[in-house]
Amino acid sequence: KALALEPNDAQAFAVSKLAHDAVSSGGRLPKPTEELPPSLLASAPPWHHLNLTSAKESEAAAAARDAERALNGGDFARAQAAAARALAADPHSAYAYGLKAFAEIKQGKAEEALGDAMAGLALDPKDRLAQKARAQALIRLGRYREGLLAARAAQSDDPRSGFAAFLEAEAREGLNDRAGALQALRRAGLLDARYQKIYDAVLQAPQEADMAFLFPDLKPKARSGSPAGSGRGWAFVGI
């Protein structure tokens, strides 16, 4: 239907081509990875600050658990509010800042998310959740080179995280480093099977193709010499 309205739409043609290939091979179309991987969330974040009473520790931990449940359930406004409650009870929790940042990212508030992620990392530079939130927020803002450095730092402290490797792939794709993006995607697929089909789809795409529709944090790139999204490269592939 989209191609009937606009035959030169690059993303519509790309999805159509991949879907056709997937049906022909009995596979499934890769799904953009928007969900928050459960492995991102720590099983038992520490609340052991000496200046907190046991009641405050319990309040912070309960609010953080509520934020985790809301994030995994897709209720991002509730997750943000719950993370804010955790921070009100424990202003020194880098983990709570990370939860709040991810809730903001999911609501399109990348600037706010970056601020909260940086606040968390100021408290604990090794906090894995805040590290990934910083990387994703930078990529959402189009600051791909900084996002790449942040994603690499997240992988350094959490080398088993497929999500961190996927963030590196997004940043490299944003920098037009297709070879580097493929390498990072391959690592992501080995660590987390959800990323394998995205890797396969990028492998099959022409080098000049805009793969932003497979990377939920990227914006489609404008092509030189033609309006953004004109899809002339894909039209040639179609012919």
Side-chain angles (χ1 to χ4, degrees):
K1 288 180 181 178
L3 286 170
L5 292 170
E6 178 50 69
N8 290 327
D9 186 275
Q11 292 188 2
F13 187 89
V15 173
S16 175
K17 177 69 168 62
L18 287 171
H20 181 273
D21 292 346
V23 171
S24 299
S25 63
R28 292 170 180 258
L29 180 68
K31 179 183 177 183
T33 307
E34 277 284 6
E35 64 269 26
L36 186 73
S39 60
L40 252 167
L41 303 178
S43 57
W47 268 271
H48 50 70
H49 304 293
L50 296 178
N51 60 329
L52 290 181
T53 65
S54 58
K56 282 292 184 183
E57 286 182 359
S58 297
E59 184 181 343
R65 284 194 297 271
D66 186 26
E68 292 173 3
R69 287 191 295 268
L71 273 172
N72 284 324
D75 190 345
F76 305 127
R78 191 187 107 203
Q80 182 180 350
R85 291 200 309 274
L87 285 169
D90 180 5
H92 303 288
S93 171
Y95 182 74
Y97 271 113
L99 288 171
K100 188 167 180 280
F102 268 108
E104 289 160 345
I105 287 171
K106 293 298 184 179
Q107 296 175 85
K109 303 174 181 177
E111 287 282 6
E112 293 177 43
L114 180 59
D116 280 325
M118 297 301 292
L121 291 171
L123 293 166
D124 180 2
K126 297 292 187 180
D127 185 82
R128 294 178 177 183
L129 198 64
Q131 283 182 332
K132 295 179 182 73
R134 173 180 62 177
Q136 191 171 25
L138 285 166
I139 294 167
R140 284 277 174 103
L141 292 169
R143 294 162 61 176
Y144 300 130
R145 195 163 301 282
E146 295 169 85
L148 174 59
L149 293 175
R152 293 295 297 259
Q155 288 177 82
S156 177
D157 286 316
D158 192 2
R160 301 299 302 167
S161 170
F163 182 58
F166 180 72
L167 289 173
E168 179 184 343
E170 284 195 312
R172 290 191 180 280
E173 179 67 19
L175 292 167
N176 297 314
D177 178 8
R178 180 63 55 86
L182 275 170
Q183 290 180 358
L185 264 180
R186 183 174 181 274
R187 288 199 307 275
L190 291 172
L191 293 166
D192 188 330
R194 285 175 298 184
Y195 302 112
Q196 184 61 43
K197 286 199 172 185
I198 299 177
Y199 172 69
D200 294 339
V202 176
L203 272 182
Q204 295 168 17
Q207 177 66 34
E208 72 277 7
D210 181 4
M211 301 302 291
F213 75 102
L214 287 177
F215 294 95
D217 296 310
L218 300 188
K219 299 175 182 176
K221 305 181 187 77
R223 300 186 185 280
S224 58
S226 64
S230 66
R232 294 179 63 186
W234 280 111
F236 178 76
V237 173
I239 293 170

